[in-house]
Amino acid sequence: MIKAVIIDDEPKAIQGLAWELSNFSDELEVVATFTEPEEAINYLKSAKIDCLFLDIEMPTMDGFQFLEQLENKNFAVVITTAYNEYAITALKKEAIDYLLKPIDSDDLSETIKKIKKHNIKGFNADKFEDMLLQFNNTLHHKKITINTDGKLVFLEPKDIYYVESDGNYSTLYLSKNKKIVVTKKLKEINELLPKKHFFRIHNSYIINLNKVKEFLKSDGYVILESGAKVPVSRQRKSEFLEKL
């Protein structure tokens, strides 16, 4: 479903276009309409839409000024206007099309085709990342999602032996002697890990309880299956033993 927003200072124009769109295509849904450009700018800061139908002639802010104020524009823009003279300027502003008022059904049909093509081309990394995260959230056995070095890494909890903090950085030590360094504090990493299997054993360490091989009581250390030696803080010793 294509999610669309309409901006026009004339409520009747909005009603007319919304009616045309809802009756013309069952693939497009008008999710919001605005007569005030400032309200639309605030909405678009967080909303995820596929296309924007934007009037040019508005008293408080014209359509071109509106486009210049948008921080992110990863959606198709269609200019709506009663004046044909705006067409070239509209296209230079990266609008994929323009519609002359009153809007013709055949023109609208062609515009919707262009919106579909734009959305296919605009299937960018952010959208793909969202899709992956949504898919992972639907799984019964969720993986741990880590953003690092410009990539999204999905880790099986069983592959994480322990995590070590270094201020604003954390290092995840994995199976097969692999490790990942991320720009997250240990507290943030701890929130990602399942509490059933992981325990913050020290201010600077989180361990996978399933990977504990030995606990050296006198020294206050645990030995993991990987051979790593991790300190246990005195304050968390009793809670750690209860977890085991």
Side-chain angles (χ1 to χ4, degrees):
M1 181 69 74
I2 298 169
K3 294 182 179 180
V5 167
I6 301 173
I7 304 174
D8 197 308
D9 65 300
E10 297 180 7
K12 287 185 178 179
I14 290 177
Q15 292 171 8
L17 180 55
W19 184 88
E20 286 275 1
L21 291 170
S22 62
N23 283 277
F24 189 83
S25 174
D26 57 2
E27 299 175 274
L28 191 147
E29 176 190 8
V30 177
V31 294
T33 63
F34 298 92
T35 55
E36 291 294 333
E38 289 289 350
E39 293 178 7
I41 288 172
N42 290 330
Y43 174 82
L44 292 172
K45 285 178 181 177
S46 57
K48 293 186 178 180
I49 67 168
D50 300 301
C51 67
L52 172 68
F53 291 88
L54 176 64
D55 183 31
I56 287 296
E57 289 289 323
M58 295 184 288
T60 56
M61 180 190 304
D62 70 37
F64 300 130
Q65 292 171 331
F66 176 87
L67 289 175
E68 288 171 358
Q69 291 199 34
L70 288 183
E71 295 176 2
N72 299 306
K73 185 167 66 64
N74 55 356
F75 45 80
V77 176
V78 178
I79 298 298
T80 60
T81 178
Y83 304 98
N84 194 28
E85 65 198 66
Y86 289 120
I88 295 176
T89 307
L91 296 175
K92 284 182 178 178
K93 286 288 182 180
E94 299 179 12
I96 64 163
D97 205 0
Y98 72 98
L99 292 169
L100 287 176
K101 299 177 183 179
I103 295 170
D104 180 79
S105 295
D106 291 336
D107 291 341
L108 187 57
S109 174
E110 291 302 313
T111 295
I112 290 175
K113 288 178 184 177
K114 290 180 181 180
I115 292 170
K116 289 178 181 178
K117 287 181 180 179
H118 178 276
N119 288 343
I120 292 172
K121 290 179 182 177
F123 189 75
N124 56 28
D126 288 339
K127 290 184 179 180
F128 186 57
E129 180 177 324
D130 288 343
M131 186 186 75
L132 286 174
L133 291 172
Q134 288 172 16
F135 175 73
N136 189 45
N137 287 334
T138 63
L139 296 177
H140 177 68
H141 177 68
K142 285 177 61 175
K143 294 183 179 181
I144 309 302
T145 308
I146 300 292
N147 262 304
T148 179
D149 293 333
K151 60 186 177 183
L152 201 61
V153 180
F154 292 89
L155 299 173
E156 290 281 358
K158 64 181 178 61
D159 290 333
I160 303 172
Y161 279 78
Y162 70 103
V163 188
E164 181 180 16
S165 170
D166 183 13
N168 291 326
Y169 294 85
S170 296
T171 303
L172 287 81
Y173 291 85
L174 313 174
S175 57
K176 299 179 181 178
N177 293 319
K178 294 181 180 180
K179 65 180 181 180
I180 296 175
V181 179
V182 296
T183 53
K184 284 184 180 292
K185 294 182 178 180
L186 199 64
K187 180 182 178 182
E188 296 174 87
I189 297 293
N190 197 38
E191 291 171 355
L192 297 174
L193 300 171
K195 301 297 183 287
K196 183 179 179 181
H197 304 296
F198 290 85
F199 179 69
R200 188 166 181 177
I201 203 168
H202 187 280
N203 282 342
S204 300
Y205 293 93
I206 299 169
I207 63 167
N208 186 336
L209 295 169
N210 295 321
K211 302 297 183 182
V212 175
K213 184 179 179 181
E214 299 176 16
F215 173 44
L216 308 178
K217 295 182 182 179
S218 57
D219 296 335
Y221 284 89
V222 292
I223 306 297
L224 303 180
E225 291 176 3
S226 63
K229 188 177 180 181
V230 181
V232 182
S233 73
R234 284 181 294 178
Q235 295 89 342
R236 304 187 188 202
K237 182 178 176 180
S238 58
E239 189 180 350
F240 165 63
L241 292 173
E242 286 177 11
K243 286 278 185 180
L244 291 179

